[in-house]
Every structure is written in C-alpha cells, then in structure tokens.
C-alpha cells in the first residue's frame, strides 16, 4: 500500500501502540487524525490532527469531515490480571460503549476502506493455557481455538469483534481485520517490564511472583508494524498478533540483571494460575509475509535507554471543578456544560451558584451554593470558596455577573481560576445599549439607531427598552411616539430605537483567546410563546456571519457571544444588541457544531483549538418541558 497522503484515523493514538503506529505512518507519508483522552504528545508534529477528549462524544460529522480511508481502533481500557470493582463502569464506557459508538460513526463512511481493530488474546478460553502447576511447553493458541473470555476486558473485546463482523456483513465495501494481540510491552507503558525497569532505575525493589509463567511478549513497535502490514493486505477476518514465542518471567529477570547487577527482587507467593501461552502466528506470516522480530534481549535495552532519558508520567483523568453562576432554571445550559466536561474525559464536578436557594438549577449540578448578591461578595471570599472546593473554571451566565467577573478576571487568573468572560470595557460596550450604538456607529457598522432622547429618532413607530441588561426585559414594541414616551416613563434608563419590520436572527459565535473567530451560527425563531423561542432552526447567511464576526473582533470580545440582528424588507441588516455570554437557545448552536464550552475548556488547559475544526450541521431545536425524578 502506498501510504503517501492516505488519510488514517487512529483512536487511542497517544497510547503505547498508538504512538509507535503514528511514527511509522508519518514516516510513510500518511495524513493522520488521532483521538485520545490524553493531552497531545509533545513529540507529535504539527501535521498530526489531534482531538483530545473522550471519543464516546466524537461526532460522525467530525470523522466524516476528515474522510478517513483506514481506521485503526486502538482505544481501550484495561487493568492488570485482577480487575477491581471500579473497572465495572470503566470497562463498559471505554471498551463496549466506545467501540459501539465509533462503529456507528464510521460504518456508513463512503471513504472508508479498512478497519483494523486491536482485540486481545484474552478472548480465548483460559482453560487452554492456565494451569495449576508450571508447564514446560506453552500452548500455541490458534484463531480457531475455543472462545471463553477470562475477564471483563476480554468479554468486551469479543463483543467488539462481533459488532464489527456484524456490520461488515451489511457493509462489504470495507474490510475488517481483527488482530488478537498478545502481551504488549513498550515505551511509556504500564506493562510489567516497563514497571520493573522504572523501579530499577529508581533503585527500588521489584516484586516477582509465578516466575515460571510463560507469556508471549511482543514489543509495541512490532505490534504497530504488524497492524500496518495487516492494513496493507487484502485480508479480512481474525488473526493473532504476537511474537510466536513465549518467554518465562524469570528470563526477563535474568535479562534485567545484566543491566542492573545490584537489583533487588522480592519473590512472593501467589494463588493465581500458571500461564503458559503463545500465539500461533502461521496465519499472520502467511497474510503479512512477515513476523515480529524484536526479542526481549533487544526490546528491554531500548526501554532502559528510553526511561533513563524520559520521565514516565502516568495518565490521570482530568478532574476539573467548574462553577456556573446565576443558574436559576438554566437546565439546558447546565446540561451542555456537563456534556463538555464529559467530552474532555473529566471526572470533576459542576458547582452551581444562585441567590435563590430554591432555584430549579440546583437539582442539575453536583453541588449548590446559595451565594450572596455579587455587590456584597468580596472577590477574596469568592477566591476562598473556589480554593476550598478546587474550582478552577467559572462560567458567568447573567449580564450583571459579566461586569463583576470581567472586573476581577486578571485577579482570578492569578489565583488559578479562569473565567469565560471578555474584558471589562468590552462587556460594558455591549451591556450599555447606547454605548453599543455609539461605538459601532462611529466605526460605520450597521447598528440600529439608539438614543435616550426620542426626538433624535426619526421613525413612525418605536421600540423602547432598558439601556442596561437584557433587551427583552420590559421591552415596548411597535409603539407610537406617545405610547413610547409613556412606556419609557416606566423604565429606569430607557432608550429609543426605530421599529423595523422584518426578520429577526440570533447569531452565536465563539471568539478564541487568540482573538480569532472559531465559528458562527445564525438562528431563526419559528415559534415564539410568551416571548420565549420554542422552535428555532439554523440558517446559513454569510453576510450576517461576516458582520457579527467583524463586530466581535472590533469590540475585543472573547468566548461565547450572541448577537441579535434584524433584516428589513429591503434586505438591509441592523445590529440590535449583543449579549457577550451564552444565550437561552444557544444550545442549538452547540449541537450544530459551535462547541463553545468544550473549546473553552480545551483552551483553558492549554490546547490549541485552532487544530479542532468547526463543522456546521443544520439543525432545529424544539423546547419542551420535562420532568426529573429523584429518590428521596
């Protein structure tokens, strides 16, 4: 196969096998898209497209946008020989559910030619190769041998195999290779060889049990090479991928002693069975015209050299605690934040704050804080609360909150707390509708005429609204001049605008930390009940997108921004207002591709979201009441 410019999607590409596979494919000229829970490996060149996060939340559109020809599915989770009770949910989420989701995403791709799945020899019946006493001759496991997974991980792998073969019956346009991989060891791994080497480098004692056990150890570089050769073949089906030659555990100890003559080994008793297995690789050799060649005597010194030069950093799931302010009844927003946290594989909690101790939102967060009014909340008190609860991110959701957090943004950042909010001046220029008009009108943007004096507005009909805060609050629409004056008398700080007949649009966009527009989505309301949009759908309008993008950059905004735009009967556009925060129906834009909360979190942990594509998918939102029931 000519890999030059061939598009390859690799799940779990930052793992032990994945990094070796990426390096080999890059050397062959492939274009690679990697998805993994881990942060982007520093050694990956810029050419590697990387998506950090839980692939259970990757969308079909993201993969389709890349249009892979080859899919290497390596992503999985496992424990050591004895699985703990905590592995119950982890196995389902990262093995069974993940593979099901990824197959659902790729099964109908027209570009896809081949899927290579990293299965495991754990699917074989352990009675074939596990014994009460040490066995001199290992059992050669064949692809046709009895199947009976010995643990949850093996069971998940077998189910994954069956799902892949199931869909391959209905989608014969691509080939499926199921590689049952034996005992992998390699760089930056949790395997026993790597663990022992790291401990010996640190002059620690290593623990040994069942030294007579025989395993088929295969170096990760050989696994990667084998997967590539299987991808290059015309083969479809199940094949073993191992060295084909088992080695005793005590042999590993002897090899290590050559490099660590003063090593200390503590041998302990164990009641686990003695394993004696190795892969029958006759099928592999026939298909790939190749067999693994890196023996333990070669692989171990490679790892010793690697670990002496590189400190091992075990992957720890993110544990980000985030505070959402003024949660009120903003259940869709809270749901979207939880989705974003799950997307990056976060194990942390959502804290919700509101002055109303009985607000509906408290039932949709992990911990609720009945907070004082911001006017009475000292920034030191807020910081103390965040530190006590390990909160490192804040999302303000109310106009009044924005000014408070913008004012203290830099102080919060110095204390390790990042806020999804623009600078103070930028916020003020949006919240003050008169200021909004004057700033943009001076620059020539098509902003609707606004004044605190009705005499300055030339119109037959008027709109009257509060100068500060949400524009829909106490708004007067399509009023005569006398009606407008009367309505204004009931407001605190009224401003006047001409009433324009036409179509209204809401525009969601995200501005990155580098002041770049990440994406723009235009929405149109279809059904409005009591002033609230119940049915909203996305539309494409390049002119509106361009206007709002230019204004957002000119106002130096950051994060999720919402504009209101009206189109008159002559197809002229007018900016009505800007809310520099997440809006009521902005969840539609999230679903349509504007993944603001996910992008905010990625940027906050140091990821370059310029490498993450904005993929627009037209969608419609229908808002309806729903129930949530608790056990009490």
């Amino acid at each position: 196969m000519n890999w030059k410019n061939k598009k390859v999607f690799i799940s779990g590409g930052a793992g032990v096998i994945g990094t070796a596979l990426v390096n080999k494919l890059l050397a062959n000229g492939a274009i690679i898209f990697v998805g993994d829970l881990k942060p982007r490996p520093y050694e990956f060149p810029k050419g590697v497209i990387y998506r950090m996060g839980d692939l259970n939340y990757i969308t079909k559109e993201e993969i389709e946008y890349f249009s892979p020809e080859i899919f290497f599915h390596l992503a999985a989770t496992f424990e050591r020989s004895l699985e703990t009770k905590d592995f119950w949910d982890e196995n389902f989420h990262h093995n069974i559910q993940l593979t099901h989701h990824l197959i659902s995403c790729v099964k109908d791709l027209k570009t896809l030619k081949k899927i290579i799945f990293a299965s495991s020899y754990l699917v074989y019946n352990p009675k074939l190769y596990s014994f009460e006493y040490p066995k001199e001759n290992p059992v050669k496991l064949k692809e046709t041998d009895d199947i009976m997974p010995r643990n949850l991980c093996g069971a998940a792998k077998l189910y994954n195999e069956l799902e892949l073969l199931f869909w391959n019956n209905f989608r014969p346009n691509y080939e499926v290779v199921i590689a049952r991989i034996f005992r992998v060891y390699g760089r930056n791994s949790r395997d026993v060889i790597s663990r022992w080497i790291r401990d010996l480098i640190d002059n620690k004692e290593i623990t040994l049990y069942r030294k007579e056990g025989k395993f088929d150890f295969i170096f990760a570089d050989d696994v990667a090479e084998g997967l590539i050769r299987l991808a290059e073949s015309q083969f479809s089906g199940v094949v073993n991928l191992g060295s084909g030659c088992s080695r005793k555990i005590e042999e590993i100890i002897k090899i290590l002693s050559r490099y660590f003559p003063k090593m200390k080994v503590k041998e302990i008793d164990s009641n686990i069975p003695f394993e004696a297995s190795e892969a029958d690789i006759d099928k592999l050799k026939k298909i790939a015209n190749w067999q693994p060649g890196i023996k333990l005597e070669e692989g171990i010194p490679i790892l010793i050299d690697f670990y002496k030069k590189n400190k091992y950093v075990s992957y720890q799931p993110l544990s980000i605690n985030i505070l959402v302010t003024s949660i009120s009844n903003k259940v869709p927003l809270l749901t979207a934040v939880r989705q974003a946290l799950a997307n990056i594989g976060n194990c942390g909690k959502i804290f919700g704050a509101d002055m109303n101790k009985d607000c509906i939102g408290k039932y949709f967060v992990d911990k609720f804080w009945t907070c004082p009014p911001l006017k009475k909340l000292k920034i030191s008190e807020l910081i103390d609360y965040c530190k006590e609860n390990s909160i490192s991110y804040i999302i303000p959701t109310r106009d009044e909150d924005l000014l408070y957090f913008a004012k203290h943004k830099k102080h919060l950042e110095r204390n390790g707390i990042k806020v999804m909010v623009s600078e103070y001046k930028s916020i003020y220029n949006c919240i003050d509708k008169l200021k909004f008009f004057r700033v943009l009108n001076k620059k020539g943007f098509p902003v609707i005429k606004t004044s605190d004096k009705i005499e300055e507005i030339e119109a037959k009909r008027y709109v009257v609204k509060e100068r500060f805060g949400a524009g829909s609050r106490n708004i007067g629409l399509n009023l005569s001049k006398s009606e407008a004056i009367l309505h204004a008398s009931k407001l605190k700080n009224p401003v006047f605008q001409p009433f324009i007949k036409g179509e209204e649009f809401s525009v969601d966009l995200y501005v990155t930390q580098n002041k770049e527009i990440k994406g723009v989505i235009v929405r149109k309301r279809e059904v409005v009940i009591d002033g609230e949009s119940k049915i909203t759908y996305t539309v494409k309008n390049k002119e509106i997108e361009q206007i709002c993008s230019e204004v957002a950059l000119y106002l130096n905004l950051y994060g999720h921004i919402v504009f209101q735009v009206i189109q008159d009967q002559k197809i002229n556009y007018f900016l009505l207002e800007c809310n520099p925060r997440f809006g009521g129906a902005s969840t539609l834009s999230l679903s349509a591709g504007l993944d603001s909360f996910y992008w905010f979190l990625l940027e906050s942990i140091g990821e370059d979201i310029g490498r993450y594509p904005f993929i627009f998918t037209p969608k419609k939102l229908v808002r309806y009441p729903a129930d949530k029931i608790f056990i009490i």
Side-chain angles (χ1 to χ4, degrees):
M1 182 184 292
N2 181 9
W3 290 96
K4 181 74 172 176
N5 294 326
K6 192 168 290 294
K7 291 188 172 183
V8 181
F9 172 41
I10 306 174
S11 70
V16 182
I17 301 171
T19 50
L21 182 62
V22 168
N23 290 333
K24 286 179 177 288
L25 290 173
L26 281 175
N28 289 331
I31 300 171
I32 300 174
F33 173 27
V34 170
D36 204 295
L37 273 171
K38 301 173 184 176
R40 180 190 182 95
Y42 70 90
E43 67 268 23
F44 278 8
K46 291 183 178 179
V48 174
I49 302 166
Y50 196 84
R51 183 197 191 277
M52 178 190 167
D54 188 340
L55 292 180
N56 276 287
Y57 300 97
I58 194 172
T59 63
K60 176 184 176 182
E61 289 77 20
E62 288 180 76
I63 302 175
E64 194 171 36
Y65 178 83
F66 178 68
S67 303
E69 295 177 61
I70 308 293
F71 171 32
F72 289 95
H73 178 26
L74 310 180
T77 186
F78 63 92
E79 285 195 322
R80 300 183 190 179
S81 300
L82 297 176
E83 295 172 342
T84 64
K85 64 179 182 179
D86 293 334
F87 192 64
W88 170 262
D89 289 324
E90 185 181 344
N91 173 69
F92 181 81
H93 185 79
H94 291 297
N95 286 336
I96 296 175
Q97 182 173 282
L98 174 63
T99 300
H100 180 85
H101 175 67
L102 290 177
I103 296 172
S104 299
C105 287
V106 305
K107 63 182 175 61
D108 295 320
L109 292 181
K110 294 179 180 179
T111 58
L112 191 64
K113 299 293 188 295
K114 200 152 194 168
I115 298 175
I116 300 89
F117 172 57
S119 187
S120 170
Y121 85 105
L122 294 174
V123 303
Y124 293 118
N125 191 336
K127 291 182 179 179
L128 295 172
Y129 59 86
S130 298
F131 306 94
E132 187 176 351
Y133 301 101
K135 188 173 177 64
E136 187 62 31
N137 297 316
V139 175
K140 277 192 174 294
L141 294 172
K142 299 181 180 180
E143 291 85 354
T144 55
D145 277 338
D146 188 29
I147 297 295
M148 181 58 196
R150 78 181 191 196
N151 55 18
L152 288 180
C153 183
K157 290 292 186 181
L158 180 57
Y159 182 71
N160 297 157
E161 289 185 12
L162 294 173
E163 283 205 323
L164 280 162
L165 294 173
F166 172 86
W167 271 111
N168 199 211
N169 290 329
F170 297 96
R171 297 289 186 272
N173 55 301
Y174 57 79
E175 297 170 335
V176 172
V177 176
I178 294 169
R180 289 177 179 162
I181 303 172
F182 283 65
R183 290 272 179 163
V184 182
Y185 69 106
R187 301 170 186 85
N188 211 41
S189 171
R190 292 186 294 164
D191 67 82
V192 66
I193 297 175
S194 291
R195 295 199 308 270
W196 279 346
I197 291 173
R198 292 194 294 266
D199 284 345
L200 291 171
I201 290 174
D202 292 337
N203 295 314
K204 294 180 180 178
E205 181 181 71
I206 62 173
T207 301
L208 169 67
Y209 55 89
R210 289 297 195 247
K211 64 182 179 182
E212 301 88 354
K214 292 185 173 184
F215 301 88
D216 188 331
F217 290 99
I218 179 169
F219 197 55
D221 291 29
D222 268 346
V223 177
E225 182 66 25
L227 294 175
I228 290 173
R229 287 175 179 265
L230 290 170
E232 293 174 339
S233 73
Q234 300 300 311
F235 174 74
S236 186
V238 176
V239 59
N240 285 335
L241 182 49
S243 70
C245 179
S246 68
R247 304 291 294 272
K248 286 185 179 180
I249 294 294
E250 62 184 350
E251 289 183 77
I252 297 173
I253 298 296
K254 288 179 181 178
I255 296 171
L256 289 172
S257 67
R258 299 175 197 167
Y259 301 92
F260 302 97
K262 297 180 180 180
M263 63 186 285
K264 295 178 181 179
V265 182
K266 181 180 181 181
E267 191 169 353
I268 60 175
D269 292 330
S270 175
N271 59 2
I272 66 172
F274 290 91
E275 181 168 333
S277 66
E278 66 185 24
D280 183 317
I281 59 172
D282 287 345
K283 193 173 182 179
L284 173 68
K285 290 189 286 186
K286 184 177 179 180
I287 295 166
N289 192 28
W290 167 89
Q291 70 181 75
I294 302 174
K295 297 180 179 180
L296 286 172
E297 287 79 2
E298 301 166 272
I300 286 177
I302 291 174
L303 291 186
I304 292 173
D305 182 63
F306 175 80
Y307 289 119
K308 283 183 176 179
K309 295 177 180 177
N310 301 275
K311 185 177 181 180
Y312 172 71
V313 179
S314 63
Y315 167 70
Q316 297 295 329
L318 291 171
S319 186
I320 295 170
N321 289 344
I322 191 165
L323 173 65
V324 184
T325 70
S326 301
I327 59 175
S328 183
N329 62 349
K330 299 167 185 170
V331 176
L333 183 152
L334 294 170
T335 303
V337 172
R338 190 174 295 281
Q339 172 82 17
L341 287 169
N343 198 350
I344 61 170
N346 182 62
C347 297
K349 296 179 180 179
I350 297 179
F351 287 69
D354 202 281
M355 293 185 296
N356 179 10
K357 65 181 179 63
D358 297 316
C359 70
I360 297 297
K362 70 183 289 185
Y363 297 102
F364 295 84
V365 296
D366 299 306
K367 190 170 182 180
F368 179 68
W369 177 29
T370 307
C371 68
L374 291 180
K375 292 180 180 178
K376 298 181 179 179
L377 181 63
K378 295 179 180 179
I379 190 61
S380 59
E381 295 173 338
L382 174 65
I383 291 172
D384 287 343
Y385 179 83
C386 289
K387 288 185 175 181
E388 287 170 9
N389 293 282
S390 301
I391 293 169
S392 48
Y393 302 90
I394 298 177
I395 297 178
T397 72
R398 191 173 63 118
D399 289 340
E400 289 82 351
D401 296 0
L402 297 178
L403 287 172
Y404 176 89
F405 284 103
K407 179 181 178 181
H408 300 293
K409 182 178 180 178
K410 292 182 179 178
H411 186 39
L412 287 164
E413 286 181 352
R414 286 194 294 269
N415 283 273
I417 304 165
K418 297 184 179 181
V419 189
M420 190 176 176
V421 71
S422 304
E423 300 299 325
Y424 187 88
K425 181 180 178 182
S426 303
I427 297 293
Y428 193 83
N429 284 340
C430 294
I431 290 179
D432 183 342
K433 294 172 182 59
L434 188 56
K435 188 80 170 175
F436 181 72
F437 164 71
R438 289 172 177 171
V439 169
L440 295 183
N441 182 60
K442 186 177 181 180
K443 190 65 178 177
F445 287 110
V447 60
I448 193 165
K449 174 75 173 178
T450 305
S451 177
D452 55 355
K453 299 179 180 62
I454 195 169
E455 293 78 14
E456 295 182 358
I457 305 296
E458 295 180 8
K460 293 181 180 179
R461 309 292 291 181
Y462 297 86
V463 173
V464 186
K465 59 179 69 171
E466 287 285 6
R467 176 175 174 177
F468 302 96
S472 60
R473 188 184 304 162
N474 300 321
I475 190 171
L477 291 170
N478 195 14
L479 305 176
S480 66
K481 187 171 184 178
S482 58
E483 290 171 333
I485 293 171
L486 178 61
H487 188 83
S489 66
K490 302 174 184 178
L491 304 183
K492 290 183 179 180
N493 295 285
V495 290
F496 303 90
Q497 296 173 338
F499 175 76
I500 298 175
K501 286 185 179 180
E503 291 187 293
E504 274 198 56
F505 299 89
S506 296
V507 185
D508 291 291
L509 56 83
Y510 185 85
V511 187
T512 70
Q513 291 177 354
N514 295 328
K515 302 305 177 184
E516 296 175 348
I517 303 298
K518 182 64 181 171
V520 187
I521 290 181
V522 181
R523 297 184 276 112
K524 192 173 186 303
R525 295 182 294 182
E526 184 176 315
V527 176
V528 179
I529 300 176
D530 295 330
E532 183 180 5
S533 176
K534 295 296 183 181
I535 301 179
T536 307
Y537 60 94
T538 60
V539 297
K540 286 298 293 181
N541 188 309
K542 291 185 178 180
E543 190 168 352
I544 291 179
E545 293 172 15
Q546 182 68 25
I547 291 170
C548 293
S549 296
E550 291 177 0
V551 170
L553 294 177
Y554 178 72
L555 291 175
N556 193 36
L557 295 171
Y558 159 68
H560 190 103
I561 313 298
V562 184
F563 286 96
Q564 300 298 329
V565 179
I566 192 166
Q567 172 190 295
D568 69 12
Q569 294 172 335
K570 295 181 180 180
I571 320 297
N572 296 312
Y573 297 104
F574 298 91
L575 289 163
L576 299 179
E577 61 183 74
C578 173
N579 298 313
R581 56 172 174 78
F582 197 80
S586 293
T587 47
L588 172 61
S589 293
L590 291 188
S591 180
L594 195 81
D595 216 344
S596 297
F597 295 133
Y598 176 54
W599 292 335
F600 164 66
L601 292 170
L602 286 173
E603 283 195 295
S604 298
I605 62 177
E607 281 287 300
D608 177 8
I609 65 168
R611 298 190 177 113
Y612 291 71
F614 163 59
I615 305 166
F616 170 70
T617 305
K619 290 190 177 181
K620 177 180 285 192
L621 176 148
V622 177
R623 180 160 286 174
Y624 63 96
D627 298 327
K628 187 175 180 70
I629 299 174
F630 296 88
I631 297 175
I632 58 174

